[in-house]
Amino acid sequence: MAIAQSSASQPVDHPQQVAQLRQQYEGLTPQQIKAAGYESEGECVTNPHGVGAMGTHAINWDHLETQFPKGEMDPEQPPVVLLDRDSKAIGIEWEAADVGQGPMELFGQTIQLQSGHPGVEESHYMLHIYFKPDGKVLFGVDAQTAFDPEGACPEMSASATARSTASASASASASASATGTTSATAAS
């Protein structure tokens, strides 16, 4: 099933495989998310260049460390579950290192190389899928569409934001040191 890809962030119908992932992750309780191997990392991530947010990242480090350094995205194992302020799943995310593979494709979406950010300084690929009403999803395939424009984070002080960024960077550095690989962080 082909999906029309738009340069603007607009909810679209999703392929069956995404519907299955949505059914698997949407509505999980914080306890179920943790039991599935995901750990909440850092604070809610807002768009530093405009409106919207990604939410809080719950990371499955095994999935991330298996896929990211190889420049791969396993469609059945998203390394990140995106959470709202109530720790409910609002989407899923994949990240992959740039190993010279060129634009990646997953679920009929072409994923563009994106600039680095705190915790993953080198350019890499990211795919965000946000769950929307009426069975729709919002794909984020580049820097302009990575944030859900309707997403919002609770108000945070400047010091809390700085601690969140420092915490995400420290988590990535600790993981990279422990595994000898570069890992993505909650601040994607």
Side-chain angles (χ1 to χ4, degrees), residues 11-15 18-19 22 26 130-137:
V12 296
D13 291 325
H14 47 66
V18 173
R22 181 179 189 156
E26 188 176 40
Y130 297 100
F131 308 142
K132 304 309 274 180
D134 301 323
K136 305 269 187 194
V137 295

Side-chain angles (χ1 to χ4, degrees), residues 1 14-25 74-77 92 94 106-108 129:
M1 176 178 187
H14 47 66
Q16 184 60 34
Q17 193 173 15
V18 173
Q20 292 168 346
L21 287 167
R22 181 179 189 156
Q23 184 177 20
Q24 181 179 350
Y25 290 97
D74 182 338
E76 296 179 12
Q77 296 184 327
I92 48 184
W94 288 259
L106 191 63
F107 308 121
I129 300 177

Side-chain angles (χ1 to χ4, degrees), residues 50-103:
V51 299
M54 290 181 187
T56 301
H57 292 58
I59 301 172
N60 182 312
W61 289 102
D62 290 338
H63 294 341
L64 189 64
E65 291 171 355
T66 299
Q67 298 173 46
F68 186 87
K70 297 176 186 174
E72 298 174 353
M73 294 182 181
D74 182 338
E76 296 179 12
Q77 296 184 327
V80 179
V81 175
L82 302 166
L83 308 173
D84 69 7
R85 65 185 77 205
D86 298 320
S87 297
K88 293 182 182 166
I90 57 170
I92 48 184
E93 176 185 343
W94 288 259
E95 294 198 24
D98 177 17
V99 294
Q101 71 271 44

Side-chain angles (χ1 to χ4, degrees), residues 102-187:
M104 298 181 72
E105 189 163 310
L106 191 63
F107 308 121
Q109 302 297 304
T110 302
I111 306 158
Q112 300 299 322
L113 186 63
Q114 298 177 49
S115 299
H117 52 72
V120 184
E121 299 302 324
E122 70 274 2
S123 297
H124 59 286
Y125 295 90
M126 292 187 293
L127 172 65
H128 296 83
I129 300 177
Y130 297 100
F131 308 142
K132 304 309 274 180
D134 301 323
K136 305 269 187 194
V137 295
L138 183 65
F139 286 102
V141 297
D142 56 30
Q144 289 75 36
T145 60
F147 295 86
D148 179 351
E150 296 175 357
C153 293
E155 292 296 319
M156 291 191 319
S157 68
S159 61
T161 303
R163 281 194 308 272
S164 171
T165 302
S167 172
S169 295
S171 293
S173 298
S175 178
S177 297
T179 64
T181 63
T182 302
S183 298
T185 70

